[in-house]
């Protein structure tokens, strides 16, 4: 018998909650529309200019080293290429591997290749090498990338 009055109180609370929501939702929606009209377009344009949430994120060097299972001291072009070939082949999709892991390995190789290139340019600049030496190194790097693709 005590269930009847308790159920009635619960029903009244539910009805009151629905009434509050029925009044609040339209005004909140109207406010959101007004905000979008005032500054939403500019915010959306800024997000699109920055690439938004779909922008390509560059992998951190530490993460790239972890993916390739290398230490920073042993990060040479040959070591990166060797690890790339090993892990990329091991995760071949046609042999039951993971496309996601292959893409991580590829992005790690790209990042480490860039790191090695920057390191070589810094060493050349520190050694007093002129623009000719840097240009020669750049052309060697470009030839190496063409051969890897």
């Amino acid at each position: 018998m005590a269930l009847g009055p308790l159920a009635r109180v619960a029903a009244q609370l539910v009805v009151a909650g629905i009434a509050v929501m029925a009044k609040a939702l339209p005004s909140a929606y109207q406010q959101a529309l007004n905000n979008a009209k005032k500054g939403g377009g500019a915010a959306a344009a800024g997000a699109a200019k920055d690439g938004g949430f779909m922008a390509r994120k560059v992998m951190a060097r530490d993460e790239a080293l972890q993916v390739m299972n290398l230490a920073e001291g042993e990060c040479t072009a040959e070591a990166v290429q060797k690890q790339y070939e090993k892990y990329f082949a091991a995760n071949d999709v046609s042999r039951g591997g993971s496309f996601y892991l292959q893409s991580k390995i590829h992005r790690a190789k790209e990042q480490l290749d860039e790191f090695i290139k920057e390191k070589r340019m810094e060493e050349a600049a520190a050694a007093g090498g002129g623009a000719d030496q840097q240009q020669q190194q750049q052309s060697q790097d470009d030839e190496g990338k063409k051969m890897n693709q």
Side-chain angles (χ1 to χ4, degrees):
M1 288 209 129
L3 190 59
L6 187 61
R8 188 172 15 160
V9 171
Q12 287 175 344
L13 288 174
V14 169
V15 169
I18 290 173
V20 168
M21 294 296 285
K23 289 180 182 177
L25 283 177
S27 63
Y29 183 73
Q30 186 63 40
Q31 177 116 18
L33 285 177
N34 290 337
N35 288 342
K37 287 177 185 175
K38 289 180 184 175
K49 188 170 108 179
D50 294 338
F53 72 95
M54 293 294 287
R56 179 177 170 212
K57 304 288 186 219
V58 177
M59 182 181 287
R61 185 175 64 217
D62 293 338
E63 182 182 2
L65 288 168
Q66 286 178 345
V67 168
M68 291 295 202
N69 197 23
L70 293 170
E72 193 166 336
E74 60 188 21
C75 185
T76 63
E78 296 80 22
V80 169
Q81 184 64 33
K82 180 182 173 188
Q83 292 295 83
Y84 171 77
E85 290 171 358
K86 175 182 170 184
Y87 292 135
F88 199 81
N91 288 291
D92 189 8
V93 176
S94 63
R95 291 191 281 158
S98 168
F99 179 74
Y100 172 75
L101 290 177
Q102 272 192 326
S103 65
K104 289 291 261 189
I105 293 163
H106 182 74
R107 296 291 173 225
K109 181 183 183 303
E110 285 180 341
Q111 178 64 20
L112 293 177
D113 285 344
E114 186 69 28
F115 169 66
I116 291 168
K117 180 178 153 186
E118 289 172 2
K119 197 163 119 179
R120 285 181 181 165
M121 291 181 87
E122 288 174 4
E123 289 171 356
D132 293 333
Q133 186 178 7
Q134 289 179 354
Q135 188 176 19
Q136 182 183 9
Q137 185 64 41
Q138 178 66 32
S139 63
Q140 287 175 354
D141 289 340
D142 291 341
E143 288 175 13
K145 284 185 179 179
K146 287 178 186 175
M147 291 176 60
N148 291 333
Q149 294 177 355

